[in-house]
Amino acid sequence: MHFKMIVVFIEDEKTDAVMDAARKAGATGATVINNARGEGMTQSKTFFGLNLETQRDVILFLVEEHLSRHIIEEINKVGEFDDKPGTGIAFQIDVEDAVGVASQQAKLTDEVKEFL
């Protein structure tokens, strides 16, 4: 079984919605890293030295490769990445090897049989 890692940088108030959408699309779990900071093409605004940016989370999904495109599209819809600039970004990376996912493989094998 081959995996992809989907990395999502999202405003913290949308984290739960992104997690729910990814689960419905086939993701079996995620790791959330809180308190990330990002900066886009324009420099962030400050007020007397205090940053006015919204807080961001980083979400890491390890997903089966046949499900990855559908999952990332659902994340994009919920996160509104293409509709509202500056709301976040998501991308996927090939995973060469993974351990600790044996319990998920049985569930995923049934889900991806139609792709094989």
Side-chain angles (χ1 to χ4, degrees), residues 1-2 64-66 108-116:
M1 188 166 285
H2 298 283
E64 206 284 326
E65 70 177 335
H66 293 94
L108 289 171
T109 300
D110 292 337
E111 289 184 26
V112 298
K113 277 184 182 177
E114 66 188 59
F115 296 108
L116 303 176

Side-chain angles (χ1 to χ4, degrees), residues 45-112:
K45 297 176 185 177
T46 61
F47 180 73
F48 293 114
L50 298 173
N51 194 339
L52 298 178
E53 289 182 341
T54 59
Q55 191 59 48
R56 301 216 181 253
D57 289 339
V58 179
I59 310 172
L60 306 173
F61 295 96
L62 187 64
V63 302
E64 206 284 326
E65 70 177 335
H66 293 94
L67 302 173
S68 65
R69 185 63 199 171
H70 177 62
I71 293 169
I72 205 166
E73 287 172 357
E74 293 302 311
I75 289 169
N76 184 36
K77 282 182 202 172
V78 171
E80 301 177 292
F81 299 149
D82 289 336
D83 299 331
K84 297 180 181 177
T87 56
I89 186 172
F91 57 90
Q92 64 181 359
I93 303 169
D94 289 327
V95 174
E96 187 174 325
D97 199 4
V99 296
V101 292
S103 62
Q104 296 176 14
Q105 284 181 331
K107 180 184 185 306
L108 289 171
T109 300
D110 292 337
E111 289 184 26
V112 298

